Amino acid sequence: MAMTDLHQTGPAIAFDNSYARLPGAMHVDVLPTPVEAPALIKVNAALAHELGIDPAGLTPEMAVGNLIPAGAAPIAQAYAGHQFGNFVPQLGDGRAILLGEVLDRQGRRRDIQLKGAGPTPFSRRGDGRAALGPVLREYLVSEAMHALGIPTTRALMAATTGEKVYREAVLPGAVLTRVASSHIRVGTFQFFAVRRDQESLAALIGHVIARHYPQLSGTENPALGLLDHVMDAQAALVARWVQVGFIHGVMNTDNMSVAGETIDYGPCAFMDAYDPATVFSSIDSYGRYAYANQPPIAQWNLARLAETLLGFLHESREEAVRIATERIEGFPAIYARHWLAGFRSKIGLVSAEDGDLDLIQALLDAMQMARADFTLTLRTLSNGQEPAALADWLPAWRARLARDPQGPEEQLALMRSVNPAYIPRNHRVEEMIGAAVERQDYAPFEAMLRVLMTPYQEQPGAEGYAEPPDETDRPYRTFCGT
Ligand code: AMP
Ligand code: MG
């Protein structure tokens, strides 16, 4: 595509832009809006290598979109979505521009996107920009999730723009370079379904299958296979969230990736004291996206996906509805399998007994009663110590461990491999953001990121990152990262 004279074309990256080649209704060509004074905050060298990109060649100009690497075909993707249950037929990339796709060193297709690079035809009244705080939050938390072993979008670069963004306060502007298996959402399917654009929908289904679930191509009912696979990926993902106390905070259908990655780190936060009703987002007044509601909300979102696929599931509408309903009703059982497998490991078990679910539930109830810190309690147990709050629960657990084939050392090693010592604690995230925004001090960002890269390993001097906040730091509130 033609570049305007505002843009220099940078060194080539081996892009292969398959989404940009899909029918025109699915995306719009758009260029980043150049900014005043780009400055790099961080380049993720390890991720750059993984993508086959030389990190030394990643410049501040590239990180903000002033310079577009040769081979890019910048587009904004169209999507719709249910936001807090209300359908919005047109959302789309309003402040994100997809530069293109690369095949990484393992041959996996990865999107490279600039978030906060200026307005697009989908910006509505927004400025297309991002503030520094949310950019640092997303960089740190998404990379922490990756280090925890949880599927997620990644952060390749963060840079400041030298320009201000106007929110409730005047804030420094920044751009995040986000990497994802794709940015295709449940809401992408909804965009075409609501327009009865079966042609684009068919192209989208074909693209998603080829890209994320290639084992389905040539099968008898690929759309049904797609629904099954997305359901399983989401069940696995939400179970992983729940197992580390992660609360996404804005599980709208436009924020649910069909690749099964965690996406959109706006109001997310980790729970400290165990309480299934925990909500952090300031706009989630009814607790729709509370910790314990995440599995049923995932099911609700998947039902919205199933609706878009009806025309592809069966030629009879009635039969298609019956098939889809049956699949969606199966979600709780699929989720329960992932949940139980994960929590068995968290309490050191490799075998399965009927009573395990009750044993795990009793542990969670005891933590809730004691307002015990979720992460710290499980890590303490993993280190062979026995928290006082769990005194009544411990005998049943010890008896169960004795019936498990592994020895005590192996049991604790398993627990330490799944119960992190370090998560991005909210009070530390806020401190980190405050230092960067108020004093241009990125040392806390770097220090915290370093600790979070090996979350399952105690690190000398990092004790402060393992501790829960003082009671006075509660309740914690998050805001959508606009
Ligand atoms: P989010 O809350 O980040 O999931 O975004 C919901 C929708 O609002 C998406 O279509 C975004 O592209 C759009 N949006 C959010 N912030 C901005 C902004 N600052 N400028 C333009 N569009 C935005
Ligand atoms: Mg979003």
Side-chain angles (χ1 to χ4, degrees):
M1 87 175 291
M3 297 290 152
T4 70
D5 52 2
L6 288 172
H7 292 82
Q8 300 169 275
T9 303
I13 288 180
F15 282 109
D16 175 41
N17 306 318
S18 66
Y19 203 87
R21 293 193 290 268
L22 291 173
M26 301 171 69
H27 47 79
V28 217
D29 291 343
V30 60
L31 289 169
T33 304
V35 298
E36 201 84 6
L40 270 177
I41 301 167
K42 184 77 183 167
V43 171
N44 188 339
L47 179 58
H49 284 302
E50 200 179 306
L51 298 174
I53 297 171
D54 176 9
L58 294 174
T59 63
E61 289 71 27
M62 286 167 85
V64 296
N66 282 14
L67 187 150
I68 311 288
I75 55 171
Q77 292 175 310
Y79 56 85
H82 276 91
Q83 300 188 307
F84 291 90
N86 302 307
F87 187 64
V88 184
Q90 181 167 314
L91 291 164
D93 287 332
R95 56 163 170 165
I97 295 175
L98 179 63
L99 290 181
E101 302 152 28
V102 296
L103 295 179
D104 72 13
R105 292 196 167 206
Q106 293 172 36
R108 293 173 304 180
R109 186 172 290 276
R110 315 276 291 267
D111 273 4
I112 302 182
Q113 190 200 61
L114 299 177
K115 189 170 171 185
T120 78
F122 300 115
S123 297
R124 291 165 293 169
R125 260 164 280 151
D127 59 3
R129 293 295 178 191
L132 175 59
V135 164
L136 292 177
R137 172 194 288 275
E138 174 155 352
Y139 192 114
L140 184 108
V141 182
S142 66
E143 288 301 307
M145 290 289 269
H146 174 71
L148 287 164
I150 299 175
T152 178
T153 63
R154 304 285 307 276
L156 179 62
M157 290 187 270
T160 47
T161 59
E163 297 180 356
K164 303 271 173 242
V165 294
Y166 299 87
R167 301 290 181 261
E168 264 122 78
V170 182
L171 298 164
V175 178
L176 180 81
T177 307
R178 180 160 71 178
V179 172
S181 289
S182 83
H183 285 86
I184 303 168
R185 312 136 191 273
V186 169
T188 315
F189 285 76
Q190 292 179 290
F191 183 89
F192 304 107
V194 70
R195 287 167 178 74
R196 305 194 187 286
D197 180 353
Q198 294 299 97
E199 203 180 310
S200 297
L201 209 43
L204 182 64
I205 292 169
H207 177 85
V208 170
I209 287 176
R211 188 164 178 177
H212 299 304
Y213 307 104
Q215 64 274 35
L216 294 174
S217 53
T219 57
E220 201 186 315
N221 193 340
L224 183 58
L226 177 62
L227 178 61
D228 285 338
H229 279 72
V230 174
M231 277 178 62
D232 192 67
Q234 281 302 325
L237 180 66
V238 175
R240 297 297 307 273
W241 291 353
V242 162
Q243 282 153 20
V244 295
F246 179 78
I247 300 168
H248 182 283
V250 60
M251 285 177 72
N252 295 332
T253 56
D254 54 307
N255 292 331
M256 183 185 263
S257 153
V258 296
E261 290 178 340
T262 312
I263 185 169
D264 201 318
Y265 285 85
C268 70
F270 285 74
M271 175 167 76
D272 293 303
Y274 181 78
D275 179 355
T278 306
V279 178
F280 292 116
S281 171
S282 58
I283 59 168
D284 190 2
S285 330
Y286 299 99
R288 179 179 171 90
Y289 301 138
Y291 174 80
N293 279 354
Q294 298 185 114
I297 285 291
Q299 182 186 21
W300 192 90
N301 289 349
L302 289 161
R304 305 290 78 76
L305 175 66
E307 285 164 1
T308 71
L309 297 175
L310 288 175
F312 300 88
L313 295 180
H314 199 278
E315 53 206 24
S316 139
R317 171 119 187 150
E318 203 185 339
E319 186 57 13
V321 170
R322 193 195 61 74
I323 295 169
T325 306
E326 181 191 287
R327 289 314 218 267
I328 295 297
E329 283 173 352
F331 181 83
I334 299 169
Y335 176 78
R337 265 204 306 281
H338 287 289
W339 184 93
L340 190 55
F343 266 106
R344 275 200 177 104
S345 309
K346 286 177 83 75
I347 61 168
L349 301 174
V350 293
S351 63
E353 282 186 10
D354 283 347
D356 292 345
L357 196 151
D358 290 342
L359 181 67
I360 295 161
Q361 194 53 54
L363 167 64
L364 296 174
D365 292 345
M367 281 200 258
Q368 187 177 356
M369 285 281 282
R371 291 193 57 75
D373 184 82
F374 181 69
T375 304
L376 191 60
T377 303
L378 287 163
R379 187 70 186 182
T380 303
L381 277 181
S382 312
N383 283 330
Q385 292 149 354
E386 304 192 329
L390 302 182
D392 293 342
W393 177 79
L394 292 166
W397 179 48
R398 274 194 230 101
R400 176 65 183 87
L401 284 176
R403 294 193 299 275
D404 194 72
Q406 296 208 106
E409 284 309 313
E410 292 163 304
Q411 287 169 336
L412 290 180
L414 169 61
M415 290 175 69
R416 282 193 298 274
S417 75
V418 291
N419 293 310
Y422 309 108
I423 52 164
R425 296 265 183 193
N426 305 321
H427 61 300
R428 303 303 305 250
V429 173
E430 289 309 315
E431 266 172 40
M432 174 282 281
I433 290 173
V437 172
E438 283 150 35
R439 303 187 295 281
Q440 293 79 53
D441 176 7
Y442 295 103
F445 170 72
E446 292 286 348
M448 193 168 174
L449 188 61
R450 200 170 324 112
V451 170
L452 291 168
M453 288 307 89
T454 48
Y456 297 110
Q457 193 108 54
E458 263 88 8
Q459 299 157 52
E463 296 76 14
Y465 293 100
E467 281 152 21
D470 295 340
E471 281 290 335
T472 50
D473 287 342
R474 295 172 193 155
Y476 182 70
R477 279 279 158 271
T478 60
F479 302 90
C480 273
T482 54

